[in-house]
Amino acid sequence: ARIKVEEDVAEIIFTGHSLGAANALLTSVHYRTSMSSSSSLSRPSIVTFGGPKLCNAILARFIRNDALKDSTILHLVHDKDPVLANNQKLWNDLGFVDVGIELQCDPNRPSVHTAADENSKYFFSSF
């Protein structure tokens, strides 16, 4: 499939929750490999919420260092998520790891950030 990007787009961010988080990561790999490396949009950001560990260390390293090289990959999780808690042993037994940075969040103390809080042009460039 051909990807058409509008000229005034400054940044592409793939995001999803739970199974959608895995889809966001896989879709970003497809997008990245479909774009010209000279395009300023060839390095998307990926932000997931409560997503599964998707693959073993070898594939994770390939995605991180080759397929999504120079992309921001952030996984927001918390210990009280029942899906993540119930599958952690399985993922560990299979040798599955996170592809990007896992950020533990406190579900009892959420924070909301607005555009006024940004220190840079792109919110995710600081990760």
Side-chain angles (χ1 to χ4, degrees):
R2 303 249 321 131
I3 297 173
K4 181 181 177 193
V5 178
E6 300 296 325
E7 290 181 24
D8 61 345
V9 174
E11 184 177 20
I12 301 289
I13 301 172
F14 291 88
T15 188
H17 171 259
S18 198
L19 180 57
N23 287 331
L25 186 60
L26 294 173
T27 302
S28 67
V29 170
H30 174 72
Y31 169 82
R32 176 75 162 88
T33 57
S34 300
M35 294 297 292
S36 164
S37 61
S38 63
S39 169
S40 63
L41 297 174
S42 67
R43 291 178 304 280
S45 296
I46 301 91
V47 180
T48 67
F49 301 88
K53 294 188 188 299
L54 189 60
C55 55
N56 66 23
I58 295 169
L59 182 55
R61 190 171 31 256
F62 171 76
I63 291 172
R64 184 174 44 250
N65 298 337
D66 293 311
L68 292 175
K69 183 178 182 180
D70 298 325
S71 290
T72 299
I73 308 168
L74 179 64
H75 307 290
L76 299 156
V77 298
H78 64 80
D79 292 337
K80 295 185 180 185
D81 184 321
V83 174
L84 299 182
N86 290 333
N87 288 293
Q88 196 63 48
K89 182 180 180 328
L90 171 65
W91 295 327
N92 289 340
D93 290 347
L94 292 171
F96 281 19
V97 298
D98 285 310
V99 172
I101 298 167
E102 182 178 281
L103 180 61
Q104 281 286 333
C105 302
D106 183 346
N108 299 314
R109 297 180 62 197
S111 296
V112 176
H113 297 276
T114 67
D117 297 329
E118 293 183 30
N119 292 327
S120 66
K121 184 175 177 184
Y122 303 112
F123 179 75
F124 295 109
S125 63
S126 61
F127 291 101

